[in-house]
Amino acid sequence: MADARNVRITVLYFAAARERTGQVREALDLPEGSHVRDVLRLLSAKYAALAPLLPHLRVAVDQEFVGPDAPVRDGAEMALIPPVAGGAPGKFLVVDRPLRLEEVVEAVRGESYGGLVTFSGSVRNQTKGRRVLRLEYEAYAPMAEKKLAEIGAEAAERFPGVRVSIIHRVGTLVPGELAVVIAAASPHRKEAFGGCEYAIERLKQDVPIWKKEFFEDGEVWVGLGP
C-alpha cells in the first residue's frame, strides 16, 4: 500500500500502446499532487518504445478524456488511448460475437417512430489495393459503451425525437463480417437519417475502439500506419 505521501494509480494499455510496453495494466506509485503529464513523463522514461507514440495518444482518467494538467488521485484508473478506428433510449454495447442488425432495430423501433434508418459496417476485403486477410478489433469496453451512450444522447439533442442504438464487435473478423450496426428511429425520416449519420461520424472520433489490419505482406494499427 502506498504511504501517505504517495498515490497509487492503475495504468491501462491498449492496442499499439500495449504492444510497445508489453503490458496490459500496471500499478504505479506517484508523489502526491502528480498530474497526467508526470505519469506520461515517467512512462516515457520507463518504456523507450512508447515515447514516440505518446504524441498520438489521448489519456482518459476514470473513463473521461483529460488533458496533461489533470490531477491523478489515489486509486485512479488511467488509460492510454491510441487513435480510434474509425442517453437516448436504445442499446449501446461492445460484444465479442457476430452481430445482428435486428438487435439495434428492435432497440429503437416503436409505433410512433415512422422513420427508421440503419447502418451496417462490414469488413472490406482490401485497403488501398492491399488484400485484407482479417481485422482484429480491440476496445476499452466500459469506456467505449459509455461513449456510445453519450453519442446517442447527443444525437437525441441535435435531432429532436430521434433515438439511437449502436453495437460494435471486437475480436477477429474476416472480410464480409459485420463490425458495427447502428439504428436510428424518429417520428420523421429527416431526423432518423440525421441521427444515424451523426452516430456514424462520432463513432470514429472518441470511442476507444481500435482495429488492426492484417495483409499478406504486413499488418498495421489503423490511425498509426502510413
Side-chain angles (χ1 to χ4, degrees):
M1 181 178 296
D3 62 36
R5 293 174 296 172
N6 284 358
V7 297
R8 172 163 289 189
I9 69 169
T10 300
V11 180
L12 306 181
Y13 302 92
F14 297 96
R18 184 194 68 249
E19 290 184 345
R20 298 287 182 96
T21 63
Q23 300 283 346
V24 174
R25 65 168 58 218
E26 67 175 322
L28 291 180
D29 289 330
L30 305 164
E32 189 175 26
S34 293
H35 295 76
V36 165
R37 64 175 177 271
D38 301 314
V39 182
L40 296 179
R41 189 180 301 116
L42 174 64
L43 295 177
S44 180
K46 186 175 183 180
Y47 301 108
L50 180 66
L53 187 62
L54 290 178
H56 304 285
L57 301 180
R58 299 176 72 183
V59 175
V61 174
D62 295 328
Q63 302 181 17
E64 293 292 342
F65 287 118
V66 298
D69 294 330
V72 286
R73 62 170 183 81
D74 186 44
E77 182 181 81
M78 176 172 159
L80 301 187
I81 308 291
V84 301
K91 181 179 290 187
F92 305 95
L93 297 175
V94 174
V95 301
D96 61 355
R97 55 169 171 76
L99 301 181
R100 295 186 306 107
L101 183 61
E102 294 81 1
E103 191 170 356
V104 288
V105 170
E106 290 298 324
V108 300
R109 76 185 331 161
E111 291 184 359
S112 61
Y113 293 83
L116 195 154
V117 176
T118 65
F119 172 79
S120 301
S122 61
V123 178
R124 298 188 302 269
N125 64 2
Q126 62 86 30
T127 297
K128 297 180 180 179
R130 302 171 74 187
R131 188 164 77 90
V132 174
L133 301 179
R134 69 183 188 278
L135 298 184
E136 290 186 1
Y137 280 90
E138 179 180 319
Y140 180 16
M143 183 177 176
E145 292 184 345
K146 181 178 180 180
K147 291 300 178 183
L148 292 177
E150 288 178 5
I151 290 171
E154 292 169 9
E157 184 176 348
R158 286 173 174 261
F159 305 95
V162 77
R163 56 186 185 184
V164 173
S165 181
I166 309 170
I167 303 179
H168 204 295
R169 186 177 173 185
V170 293
T172 301
L173 285 75
V174 298
E177 289 191 294
L178 291 175
V180 61
V181 288
I182 302 173
S186 176
H188 306 287
R189 66 179 182 274
K190 182 178 179 180
E191 288 77 15
F193 275 106
C196 189
E197 182 177 22
Y198 180 81
I200 296 165
E201 295 305 317
R202 285 285 288 113
L203 176 64
K204 301 175 184 178
Q205 297 170 3
D206 282 345
V207 182
I209 298 175
W210 310 275
K211 66 179 179 182
K212 192 173 191 179
E213 291 184 306
F214 289 81
F215 309 98
E216 294 174 306
D217 58 350
E219 60 194 53
V220 63
W221 286 103
V222 174
L224 290 176

